């Protein structure tokens, strides 16, 4: 049973036009959030419509499961994606996810949704070639669903509570999986305390994303030195409210990852090597100390396809990366 | 004719200014305590100081109440909110750096 206000239309086109007119879309067409579809999403996730997934206290809004489901339908999700969307909404609305700042900022921060665990393959969340871009329904619609929640529930409307000077295409959708099969690296969600068989999402608000190309290095140390140089050039300012817990996400690409495999480097090795280098005192305005309080604050993720000797830095906005378990749909018995 | 029902996906109307009743703006700032709420970014504090100096040329102000947020990413601390609501006549703030 859904409780949101209902609007009747004579055609799907009429619905689309009205939703655009009301400012309820991201500018792209949406799927009609009918009571039946929204109800099916809630049922699939085992959530009651009135269940609260989180809040933005400064905006005096709460996000219910029904609101999240309506936006997930609109984004083009399948019902089985909704437990992932709900977990992503919970993660984003965690107090230290800092929705108010990360969705209102002039800098136009975006939210990356990183999927781990068995559901990643069950839903075919892309984690290899092209995983940051279009062509994968789960990636495209899960990321879009979170952004529609941010728009429609959290009120981050451009020119209203979203004050971004430019914004970013990553705000349409940004979701990918970790390539857990790439090596014996401990998956991100396991490093953050969850069981390997537990599916999870990590939501990371990023100020900007920087490609760290390095075609020259043939060692783990060489690749890490390049990553450290890029981080220090771009800077990570930190914030007193976040304290020592700040994060940066480093997505290690396929061609770089093989050097770590060859030398037997674990993620912990990468974190420790990088941390001491990115937190060394600044030497100039373009070689700055990163405010990451602990090696564990460097979140290392394997993803991407073959061919390009590149990794990506997802440099943080004023929030922590939050990992949330994906609740198992009860009727699927998982 | 087929009727399609669509649910409202929002948490309510975007513009909820009617929810709040703002106190009337003072007709004059003579004798007022002007609060300056700086977000800590860039030269915002200098800007607000300069703005106060300009305001002081137009009105007979009391000493300003300055608040510099402890973090750029969240609202002022509760004790600062209390000072603002209890001691200030008006407040000026901004965003960005």
């Amino acid at each position: 049973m859904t409780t949101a206000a209902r609007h009747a239309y004579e055609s799907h086109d009429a619905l689309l036009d009205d939703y655009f007119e009301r400012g309820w879309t991201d500018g792209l067409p949406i799927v009609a959030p009918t009571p039946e579809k929204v109800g099916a999403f809630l049922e699939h996730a085992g959530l009651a419509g009135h269940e609260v997934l989180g809040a933005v206290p400064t905006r005096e809004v709460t996000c219910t499961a029904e609101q999240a489901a309506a936006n997930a339908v609109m984004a083009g999700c399948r019902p089985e994606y909704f437990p992932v969307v709900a977990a992503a909404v919970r993660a984003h609305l965690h107090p230290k996810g800092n929705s108010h700042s990360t969705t209102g900022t002039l800098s136009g921060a975006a939210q990356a949704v990183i999927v781990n665990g068995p559901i990643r393959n069950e839903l075919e969340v892309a984690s290899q070639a092209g995983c940051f871009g279009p062509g994968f329904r789960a990636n495209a619609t899960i990321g879009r669903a979170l952004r529609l929640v941010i728009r429609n529930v959290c009120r981050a409307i451009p020119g209203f509570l979203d004050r971004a000077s430019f914004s970013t295409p990553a705000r349409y959708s940004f979701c990918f999986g970790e390539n857990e099969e790439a090596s014996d690296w401990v998956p991100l969600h396991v490093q953050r305390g969850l069981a390997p068989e537990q599916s999870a999402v990590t939501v990371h608000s990023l100020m900007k994303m920087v490609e760290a190309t390095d075609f020259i290095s043939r060692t783990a140390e060489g690749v890490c030195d390049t990553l450290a140089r890029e981080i220090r050039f771009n800077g990570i300012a930190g914030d007193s409210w976040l304290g020592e817990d700040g994060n940066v996400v480093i997505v290690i690409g396929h061609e770089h990852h093989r050097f770590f495999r060859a030398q037997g480097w674990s993620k912990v090795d990468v974190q420790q090597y990088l941390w001491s280098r990115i937190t060394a005192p600044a030497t100039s305005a373009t070689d700055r100390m990163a405010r990451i309080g602990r090696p564990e604050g460097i979140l290392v993720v394997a993803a991407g396809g073959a061919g390009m000797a590149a990794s990506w830095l997802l440099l943080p906005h004023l929030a922590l990366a939050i990992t949330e378990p994906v609740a198992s749909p009860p009727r699927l018995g998982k | 004719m087929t009727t399609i029902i669509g649910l409202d996906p929002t948490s309510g109307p975007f513009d909820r200014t009617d929810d709040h009743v703002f106190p009337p703006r003072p007709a004059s700032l003579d004798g007022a305590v002007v609060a300056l709420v700086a977000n800590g970014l860039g030269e915002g504090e200098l800007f607000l100081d300069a703005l106060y100096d300009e305001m002081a040329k137009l009105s007979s102000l009391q000493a300003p109440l300055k608040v510099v947020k402890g973090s750029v990413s969240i609202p002022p601390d509760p004790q600062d909110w209390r000072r603002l609501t209890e001691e200030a006549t008006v407040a000026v703030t901004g965003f960005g750096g």
Side-chain angles (χ1 to χ4, degrees):
Chain A
M1 178 68 181
T2 55
T3 59
R6 297 176 176 219
H7 301 270
Y9 304 92
E10 293 181 355
S11 68
H12 191 262
D13 283 349
L15 181 147
L16 282 181
D17 286 345
D18 189 51
Y19 275 49
F20 279 127
E21 186 68 24
R22 291 174 182 270
W24 289 352
T25 81
D26 52 11
L28 296 170
I30 49 94
V31 174
T34 63
E36 296 77 18
K37 285 182 176 171
V38 172
F41 276 44
L42 291 168
E43 182 185 3
H44 193 92
L47 291 169
H50 64 269
E51 190 168 330
V52 173
L53 301 182
V56 188
T58 51
R59 298 181 185 178
E60 301 177 347
V61 298
T62 57
C63 179
T64 66
E66 181 179 322
Q67 289 161 348
N71 284 282
V73 171
M74 289 167 61
C77 288
R78 295 170 62 90
E80 54 265 40
Y81 301 172
F82 186 54
V84 180
V85 173
V89 171
R90 283 193 173 104
H92 174 66
L93 296 181
H94 185 284
K96 291 288 186 179
N98 204 3
S99 177
H100 179 76
S101 178
T102 63
T103 67
T105 174
L106 294 163
S107 68
Q111 283 68 38
V113 179
I114 305 166
V115 183
N116 277 101
I119 205 164
R120 181 182 44 100
N121 287 334
E122 292 165 13
L123 302 184
E124 299 181 339
V125 177
S127 62
Q128 300 182 38
C131 63
F132 284 2
F136 310 101
R137 182 172 179 178
N139 299 45
T141 61
I142 291 169
R144 188 187 185 200
L146 176 60
R147 285 303 314 184
L148 285 174
V149 167
I150 288 169
R151 179 185 181 89
N152 287 328
V153 182
C154 304
R155 304 170 184 277
I157 311 296
F160 181 46
L161 293 180
D162 169 3
R163 309 303 302 186
S165 297
F166 283 92
S167 199
T168 168
R171 278 187 166 181
Y172 280 106
S173 177
F174 189 19
C175 171
F176 64 100
E178 178 167 10
N179 184 1
E180 298 180 16
E181 293 75 25
S183 70
D184 61 356
W185 272 2
V186 176
L188 175 63
H189 68 305
V190 178
Q191 272 204 312
R192 310 202 90 197
L194 298 176
E197 63 273 17
Q198 171 67 61
S199 294
V201 297
T202 299
V203 175
H204 174 66
S205 288
L206 55 133
M207 178 86 89
K208 59 181 172 180
M209 49 194 297
V210 175
E211 186 178 31
T213 53
D214 182 351
F215 299 98
I216 306 300
S217 296
R218 292 290 181 269
T219 64
E221 292 89 345
V223 171
C224 280
D225 289 343
T226 296
L227 297 173
R229 195 161 47 245
E230 290 286 356
I231 290 172
R232 293 179 65 84
F233 178 81
N234 285 280
I236 297 175
D239 180 75
S240 58
W241 180 60
L242 298 174
E244 298 293 299
D245 297 326
N247 303 115
V248 58
V249 172
I250 301 178
V251 185
I252 303 291
H254 179 91
E255 301 298 348
H256 285 166
H257 193 170
R258 60 196 177 97
F259 301 124
F260 296 104
R261 283 199 305 270
Q263 292 179 230
W265 277 39
S266 68
K267 284 188 177 180
V268 172
D269 295 327
V270 178
Q271 290 168 321
Q272 290 179 340
Y273 186 94
L274 277 173
W275 186 74
S276 63
R277 284 159 178 78
I278 66 175
T279 57
T283 63
S284 72
T286 55
D287 180 62
R288 290 169 282 179
M289 180 176 79
R291 303 282 179 176
I292 299 292
R294 290 182 264 272
E296 304 79 47
I298 302 170
L299 306 184
V300 180
V301 177
M308 185 72 179
S311 296
W312 280 86
L313 308 173
L314 310 186
L315 301 168
H317 191 259
L318 296 166
L320 302 185
I322 304 295
T323 299
E324 280 282 331
V326 175
S328 300
R331 71 189 179 90
L332 296 183
K334 292 177 181 172
Chain B
M1 182 177 294
T2 303
T3 299
I4 300 175
I5 302 295
L7 296 180
D8 181 340
T10 73
S11 53
F14 293 143
D15 183 358
R16 300 194 310 178
T17 51
D18 290 345
D19 289 2
H20 300 281
V21 177
F22 293 98
R25 293 190 176 195
S28 165
L29 290 181
D30 286 336
V33 175
V34 175
L36 306 171
V37 184
N39 66 3
L41 280 174
E43 298 190 355
E45 196 176 345
L46 287 175
F47 172 80
L48 291 174
D49 287 343
L51 179 64
Y52 176 84
D53 291 342
E54 293 299 315
M55 294 171 72
K57 293 175 183 173
L58 304 173
S59 303
S60 179
L61 303 178
Q62 296 192 44
L65 171 61
K66 289 190 65 173
V67 169
V68 179
K69 292 201 304 172
S71 162
V72 299
S73 57
I74 57 173
D77 297 333
Q79 61 267 30
D80 284 332
W81 273 123
R82 193 162 48 247
R83 290 174 63 215
L84 289 167
T85 56
E86 292 178 358
E87 300 175 29
T89 313
V90 296
V92 182
T93 190
F95 59 87

